[in-house]
Amino acid sequence: MRMWKHTIQLLMNILERDPKPQMNTNKAAAKKVLLTDTNRWDLAARLAIGLNEAGCQVSAICPARGHALLKARAVKRTFGYSGLRPIESLKAAIEAVDPDVVVPSCDRSVEHLHELYDREKSRGAAGSRIVNLIERSLGRAESYPIVSSRNDILAIAREEGVRVPRTSRICSTEDLQHWQTQEPFPWVIKADGTWGGVGVRVVQSAKEAACACGELAQISRFTRAIKRLVVNRDPFLLRPWWNRLERKIIVQSYVNGRPANCTVFSWKGRVLALIGVEVVRSDGATGPASIVRIVDNPEMRFAAERIASRLGLSGFFGLDFMIENESAAVHLIEMNPRLAPPCYLRLGKGSDLPGALWAQLEGQPLPEHPPVTQNDMIAYLPQALKGHDDILSQCYQDIPQNEPELIKEILNPFPDRTLLFRLVQHFARKHAPTAGIEVPSTTARDNLKQDRRDVSESVEVPIEPPIEKVRARPS
């Protein structure tokens, strides 16, 4: 309790002072970055601070109300992201900013960039400016359909010698029945185009598997789109529903272990900066992490380098892993072709992703920026505040400095503070299921705010010494 109070007091001290922000002053020569985000995460706002500190001029396109990017002093200009006409609003922002690079912060904005690329490509010479910008930002166009498919990216990884769980695409009941003859329970079932654990189900029986597949296939249904619009103030699900978007579903074998991930910046297929972490505490069994430990794991780096090279990737991406309890073998379970935490933390040469982007834009060597912390335990705030003080006291507490308005938004995000949202949350918790298919938990502190159907459950992973040796890479 004492540590929790100390953290709150630290936050309040930051809110009460109003120092001049440490902004990049050489705006005329600074390279321009456009951040794109359809969710109300604070991840993009935190990266904006790091990019501005590195020397970039940052603009953003995001929902016009209640987004952390609107509160970050490091963001020079913001543009409204239309849920009904996202491609048009994205193109308008690009034309207004004329950025040197576009950085998508969420999966939907990645899809929008891919769609905009196809549109502009069909225009020939008239669309070449935006086509070249997107290729520069994301890498080779041949990679776009692959990074958006959970099944295809794992198939590519397997070809490159990366260890992955057994995975199969599910298109029918027969596919599930065939998988059952080859793989024991539990299984992990996932849907493309989902994030934050919302499109993930861990199932223990054939009946649960069939129910999970049916539910995930209808994740863009009309009732959920309307609920997202009215309660979460998120209009972006209406377009997939209107276009009758089908979510492809895969099933994976279950890896008994602890979760880990790495966030990566690459340029033309070469990894320039990487931060690897193991999860110490997460929001539910499949939800986002709240406390992590920084690790240097050769297998995680190998996976990032092989995938980036094979696909010719540029920009930010994340890889999620499971580390087997008994063998410490590292299994790649999925890729996120956008920002992933803690991409914004500048942790020194080779682990400074904002600095690596600046260096490529300016044609400079990687900067020698001192690490923001020497502590290998990172607490993502405010998510970590709901946990135990003894773990929190060991961590570097990830609080944005000199950003009082941003901190206020993080502590009380929109639409959580609206009356309608609180009423829905109250009844959702009151009638939450206590058994059945394991689904991602959500809380008032969770920045993602997806379905809001489940009771919050914090999962802790035992803290162990860093892994010194890992199993040899598969041939």
Side-chain angles (χ1 to χ4, degrees):
M1 181 60 69
R2 183 179 302 172
M3 185 63 200
W4 187 87
K5 290 182 178 179
H6 173 75
T7 302
I8 293 297
Q9 185 61 52
L10 178 60
L11 291 171
M12 294 305 299
N13 290 341
I14 295 174
L15 290 175
E16 290 171 359
R17 67 177 185 257
D18 190 23
K20 293 182 179 179
Q22 299 176 354
M23 303 288 284
N24 169 34
T25 57
N26 189 18
K27 295 298 183 183
K31 296 297 183 180
K32 293 181 286 187
V33 178
L34 178 65
L35 295 172
T36 69
D37 194 8
T38 68
N39 294 317
R40 290 188 172 89
W41 298 347
D42 60 14
L43 184 58
R46 292 174 183 263
L47 180 64
I49 297 170
L51 290 173
N52 181 81
E53 185 182 84
C56 298
Q57 182 185 110
V58 183
S59 299
I61 175 173
C62 61
R65 184 180 180 189
H67 198 291
L69 281 165
L70 302 174
K71 305 297 183 180
R73 298 182 178 190
V75 179
K76 180 182 180 183
R77 303 174 67 187
T78 56
F79 302 84
Y81 209 144
S82 171
L84 299 180
R85 296 174 58 85
I87 311 305
E88 291 77 9
S89 60
L90 179 57
K91 181 179 178 180
I94 289 174
E95 291 175 338
V97 175
D98 188 24
D100 295 283
V101 69
V102 181
V103 177
S105 305
C106 65
D107 296 77
R108 282 188 299 217
S109 59
V110 173
E111 294 175 359
H112 295 159
L113 283 170
H114 293 169
E115 188 172 341
L116 178 59
Y117 178 90
D118 291 338
R119 284 194 189 183
E120 296 301 300
K121 187 76 171 178
S122 67
R123 298 178 61 214
S128 61
R129 185 177 178 182
I130 290 181
V131 165
N132 293 336
L133 171 66
I134 295 176
E135 286 183 347
R136 186 183 195 202
S137 303
L138 304 183
R140 292 201 303 260
E142 294 82 1
S143 70
Y144 300 169
I146 297 173
V147 299
S148 298
S149 168
R150 296 181 190 269
N151 186 70
D152 293 351
I153 191 64
L154 292 179
I156 290 292
R158 185 181 293 107
E159 292 176 6
E160 291 297 311
V162 178
R163 184 185 290 106
V164 301
R166 280 179 39 82
T167 305
S168 179
R169 180 167 288 161
I170 300 299
C171 301
S172 65
T173 303
E174 289 73 21
D175 292 338
L176 272 180
Q177 293 172 346
H178 178 69
W179 176 264
Q180 188 174 359
T181 64
Q182 300 179 332
E183 195 69 26
F185 289 102
W187 306 339
V188 184
I189 298 180
K190 303 179 180 181
D192 283 352
T194 62
W195 51 88
V198 170
V200 179
R201 304 290 186 269
V202 179
V203 300
Q204 305 286 346
S205 67
K207 182 179 179 180
E208 288 185 1
C211 291
C213 287
E215 182 180 353
L216 293 177
Q218 297 296 318
I219 205 164
S220 298
R221 62 192 180 276
F222 176 71
T223 53
R224 182 167 185 260
I226 293 299
K227 178 263 179 185
R228 294 287 303 173
L229 174 65
V230 175
V231 178
N232 300 79
R233 312 297 174 90
D234 176 7
F236 286 93
L237 205 59
L238 287 172
R239 188 169 180 262
W241 165 76
W242 181 263
N243 293 333
R244 298 183 178 181
L245 180 65
E246 294 185 4
R247 303 288 184 183
K248 294 179 180 178
I249 297 173
I250 65 168
V251 60
Q252 282 183 342
S253 58
Y254 183 82
V255 179
N256 185 22
R258 56 192 185 276
N261 68 276
C262 65
T263 180
V264 186
F265 177 78
S266 65
W267 197 256
K268 297 180 180 179
R270 187 164 64 96
V271 171
L272 300 181
L274 178 149
I275 301 173
V277 301
E278 290 186 22
V279 176
V280 175
R281 182 192 296 149
S282 65
D283 187 10
T286 60
S290 57
I291 295 179
V292 298
R293 184 184 64 209
I294 298 171
V295 296
D296 183 10
N297 189 300
E299 286 202 75
M300 292 166 65
R301 179 172 291 275
F302 173 77
E305 290 174 345
R306 297 306 301 168
I307 291 172
S309 176
R310 171 71 177 269
L311 299 179
L313 298 180
S314 290
F316 295 81
F317 67 92
L319 299 177
D320 291 345
F321 302 89
M322 290 296 292
I323 302 178
E324 258 186 290
N325 285 333
E326 294 185 0
S327 65
V330 179
H331 298 256
L332 174 66
I333 59 174
E334 64 184 53
M335 173 185 178
N336 300 305
R338 39 79 177 170
L339 300 185
C343 63
Y344 49 85
L345 288 181
R346 306 188 70 185
L347 298 178
K349 191 173 182 179
S351 298
D352 178 3
L353 280 65
L357 173 56
W358 171 86
Q360 288 307 302
L361 295 180
E362 294 287 358
Q364 299 290 330
L366 295 176
E368 298 281 354
H369 188 276
V372 297
T373 179
Q374 297 292 339
N375 194 336
D376 65 351
M377 295 278 286
I378 308 295
Y380 299 146
L381 299 181
Q383 300 98 306
L385 290 178
K386 64 185 179 182
H388 299 299
D389 297 341
D390 57 341
I391 297 180
L392 188 60
S393 64
Q394 303 174 37
C395 301
Y396 168 76
Q397 296 174 27
D398 180 26
I399 304 171
Q401 299 297 312
N402 301 330
E403 293 280 355
E405 293 302 315
L406 176 58
I407 292 177
K408 289 180 182 178
E409 185 65 34
I410 291 173
L411 290 175
N412 189 24
F414 184 87
D416 296 39
R417 55 183 179 261
T418 64
L419 176 60
L420 178 59
F421 187 92
R422 291 178 178 181
L423 286 173
V424 171
Q425 278 292 88
H426 171 75
F427 287 108
R429 290 193 183 101
K430 185 175 181 180
H431 300 287
T434 57
I437 300 174
E438 184 175 357
V439 295
S441 62
T442 51
T443 72
R445 294 283 186 174
D446 179 3
N447 294 321
L448 186 58
K449 309 304 179 196
Q450 289 289 348
D451 274 322
R452 303 297 184 193
R453 293 171 297 180
D454 313 302
V455 177
S456 175
E457 176 190 3
S458 181
V459 176
E460 292 183 11
V461 179
I463 301 176
E464 300 176 359
I467 299 174
E468 300 295 338
K469 296 182 180 180
V470 293
R471 182 184 294 179
R473 292 189 291 266
S475 59

